[in-house]
Amino acid sequence: ESSHFVLRLALCSSSEARQWLIAKECELFAVRLRSAGAHAAIRTLQNTRNAPRIEEVILDSSETELSAMLDAVSRGPRRGVGLGARHYKVGFEQVLNLVARRQVLVHKGDAYVPESFVQEILVSQFRSRLSQTLTTMSRSTAALDGHAAMGPLLRLVRAHYAAQEANNGRGIGSGGANGAVDVEDRLSLKDVHANVKSMPLCMQVLMNRLKESHHLRHQGRLQLGLFLKGAGFGMDESLRFWKTEFGKGSISSDQFDKGYSYNIRHYYGKEGKRKSLQPYSCMQVINKQPGPGELHGCPFRELREESLLALVRQSGVSIDQAKDIVRKARDGHYQVACGSMFTAKYPERAAHLEQQPFVTTHPNEYLIEARRHEISKEKGTVGNAPPVPFASQSQQEPTQNESTVPQFESPPVQQDNVDQEHSAMIDEDSNIANEPKEKLGEIKNGQSLSE
């Protein structure tokens, strides 16, 4: 029993974890009920405080009409099941799942439940009460995280849960180039704005525009949203992040819930085909060419030299290094240029990476290495943290000759990993036909990021 309550304390803080725990506990509870039998479930309901009333149905010879209806239900989708069996009367709202499956008779506000389905009434009650309890606990468990004994235990349980969900492609780690992000490398909602400078340039552009205008177009939201998911954002954190940022502009809470929340739930695998989408790699970002008024894609490819030079200089890179980065981008070596920018900003960290010279292959890889540098700098152990074991690093190993710029073949344009159903959900802001042309600009034509 103690393990059950430890799980309650550890997993009550987020909606996703609560739903997972409720589903698993109800599954276990149902298995135990089936082994105990229907009579045990009935006794439990009768002895439980505030449980729904349940009465055994005893039909006499005068109730031929009700008997005929019960017989008709029993001969329905599951023919022969329940014929001559006992039935129990309960309020129909207590067995809505059975009503939906047409497995019970509803008569005068009551549902007539065959004995074989009585366990589902108890499981429904258990689910409702556990959900209410977890929601209440979520408001008062923050103090336990700092407890000397309970804090480490709760964090360990959460780490195991996160690892399991990552392996299943659903959890906080279902992103990044290698499919998972370590718990210590997670980017949390409260730290996201403080870490903008640690993000690659393609994500900095989107974050800065979001901060300025409190809105992004669909492809920009998708690129940034999947990046944040790969950085460690759970679905609840992503919903809060976008809702808060859009709320600072002209998007109300109701408008966000109706027009934008579906897409966020979709790329977490909670809508549509239930497929969890992965963050874009560098090649996918490069191949996403923006249209008028859009800011997604790779700045090293889309910006004019003057705009790119100014943007790189804003990151604290020297003028000579910035010109070298722009030259590499001009020559079409966009990933090399991004890697050179990382090396210019974090030379100590770059010197300890296995790949020399460092070439960016995934935006989330860039973020993790940059954040590890900052953490090591605070602790006085710069460059000592192990590199991220991204599989994509070995896939595009550059030449070791420092006088030669690594060459990359231009890959075929990759299709968006968003299915047709998701693409159809693009909201009204993707329709730019009616916007004034002077408000639109193309990045590749030198649009200033502050415009």
Side-chain angles (χ1 to χ4, degrees):
E1 293 183 1
S2 60
S3 61
H4 168 77
F5 289 101
V6 169
L7 284 174
R8 283 193 184 192
L9 291 171
L11 302 180
C12 68
S13 55
S14 74
S15 175
E16 285 182 277
R18 288 198 299 270
Q19 294 303 317
W20 178 87
L21 180 59
I22 290 170
K24 297 302 180 183
E25 288 293 342
C26 287
E27 184 178 341
L28 176 60
F29 187 61
V31 170
R32 289 175 172 173
L33 274 180
R34 282 195 294 271
S35 63
H39 292 292
I42 294 168
R43 286 196 304 270
T44 303
L45 282 169
Q46 291 173 341
N47 297 329
T48 301
R49 186 178 60 180
N50 297 326
R53 61 175 179 81
I54 182 168
E55 303 173 5
E56 184 177 357
V57 179
I58 300 176
L59 300 176
D60 55 36
S61 57
S62 62
E63 296 180 292
T64 55
E65 182 180 356
L66 182 58
S67 178
M69 288 190 291
L70 289 174
D71 183 65
V73 172
S74 298
R75 292 180 179 276
R78 300 179 64 176
R79 185 177 300 278
V81 176
L83 283 176
R86 293 180 179 178
H87 286 77
Y88 293 86
K89 184 167 64 173
V90 67
F92 80 94
E93 69 279 2
Q94 304 296 334
V95 288
L96 293 177
N97 56 332
L98 295 177
V99 173
R101 299 201 299 263
R102 300 185 179 183
Q103 292 178 323
V104 295
L105 169 67
V106 178
H107 181 64
K108 295 183 178 179
D110 291 320
Y112 290 77
V113 183
E115 188 177 34
S116 57
F117 293 137
V118 167
Q119 291 97 329
E120 297 206 22
I121 304 175
L122 196 55
V123 172
S124 177
Q125 287 293 306
F126 177 75
R127 179 184 293 107
S128 176
R129 297 190 183 202
L130 181 57
S131 177
Q132 293 174 6
T133 302
L134 290 175
T135 302
T136 303
M137 291 176 66
S138 67
R139 305 189 189 107
S140 56
T141 55
L144 283 176
D145 289 334
H147 191 275
M150 291 298 297
L153 177 60
L154 298 180
R155 287 191 290 272
L156 181 62
V157 172
R158 290 175 188 138
H160 279 286
Y161 166 75
Q164 177 178 322
E165 293 297 278
N167 290 335
N168 293 333
R170 297 190 300 266
I172 60 171
S174 56
N178 62 345
V181 58
D182 293 335
V183 174
E184 59 268 21
D185 291 325
R186 284 192 60 205
L187 182 66
S188 64
L189 180 58
K190 63 183 179 64
D191 297 328
V192 62
H193 290 291
N195 283 275
V196 171
K197 291 185 178 180
S198 298
M199 297 179 184
L201 204 60
C202 55
M203 303 303 168
Q204 285 190 38
V205 169
L206 294 172
M207 287 292 295
N208 291 334
R209 174 52 64 92
L210 181 62
K211 184 178 179 180
E212 293 171 4
S213 63
H214 309 298
H215 193 272
L216 287 175
R217 293 190 179 278
H218 174 74
Q219 290 297 334
R221 294 197 305 273
L222 188 60
Q223 178 175 309
L224 179 59
L226 291 175
F227 169 78
L228 294 175
K229 177 191 175 190
F233 271 34
M235 187 177 73
D236 289 340
E237 285 184 302
S238 288
L239 286 168
R240 287 199 300 272
F241 171 77
W242 290 104
K243 194 170 189 175
T244 300
E245 291 300 326
F246 278 27
K248 295 176 182 177
S250 59
I251 306 298
S252 67
S253 178
D254 288 342
Q255 287 176 314
F256 179 87
D257 291 338
K258 294 177 181 178
Y260 300 91
S261 62
Y262 177 92
N263 289 341
I264 297 172
R265 295 194 303 273
H266 187 281
Y267 56 69
Y268 278 90
K270 303 299 182 182
E271 300 287 356
K273 294 183 178 179
R274 308 283 174 174
K275 179 182 178 182
S276 181
L277 305 183
Q278 299 300 313
Y280 289 161
S281 66
C282 283
M283 294 312 303
Q284 287 174 299
V285 172
I286 290 170
N287 287 328
K288 300 290 181 185
Q289 298 187 38
E294 296 181 318
L295 290 172
H296 63 277
C298 177
F300 294 102
R301 173 175 179 166
E302 306 302 334
L303 287 178
R304 286 196 315 181
E305 291 186 27
E306 298 82 359
S307 300
L308 180 59
L309 181 65
L311 187 60
V312 173
R313 287 282 287 142
Q314 289 176 11
S315 300
V317 177
S318 68
I319 183 63
D320 291 336
Q321 291 173 319
K323 287 182 178 179
D324 181 61
I325 292 169
V326 172
R327 177 185 61 80
K328 292 174 180 176
R330 181 192 62 203
D331 293 341
H333 306 301
Y334 311 120
Q335 292 171 263
V336 178
C338 188
S340 297
M341 184 170 175
F342 179 92
T343 302
K345 292 178 66 176
Y346 312 108
E348 300 93 342
R349 181 64 185 166
H352 286 77
L353 298 178
E354 295 179 1
Q355 188 186 51
Q356 297 294 333
F358 177 67
V359 178
T360 309
T361 56
H362 201 287
N364 289 94
E365 171 193 18
Y366 185 110
L367 173 67
I368 290 176
E369 296 294 359
R371 293 189 69 220
R372 285 185 175 180
H373 171 85
E374 297 297 339
I375 294 172
S376 299
K377 188 176 180 181
E378 293 176 2
K379 295 180 178 179
T381 58
V382 175
N384 293 336
V388 182
F390 276 64
S392 55
Q393 285 188 353
S394 61
Q395 293 172 0
Q396 295 184 349
E397 181 117 24
T399 178
Q400 299 298 319
N401 186 354
E402 296 183 1
S403 63
T404 305
V405 176
Q407 301 295 319
F408 294 90
E409 296 183 2
S410 299
V413 176
Q414 301 182 17
Q415 295 296 323
D416 199 344
N417 63 346
V418 183
D419 55 45
Q420 296 179 355
E421 179 184 354
H422 184 249
S423 300
M425 292 301 299
I426 298 177
D427 47 73
E428 70 282 356
D429 68 346
S430 298
N431 183 8
I432 60 173
N434 297 324
E435 295 191 21
K437 291 185 178 180
E438 60 269 15
K439 290 188 178 180
L440 305 177
E442 293 189 54
I443 297 179
K444 61 178 67 179
N445 290 334
Q447 171 183 310
S448 171
L449 296 173
S450 60
E451 292 178 352

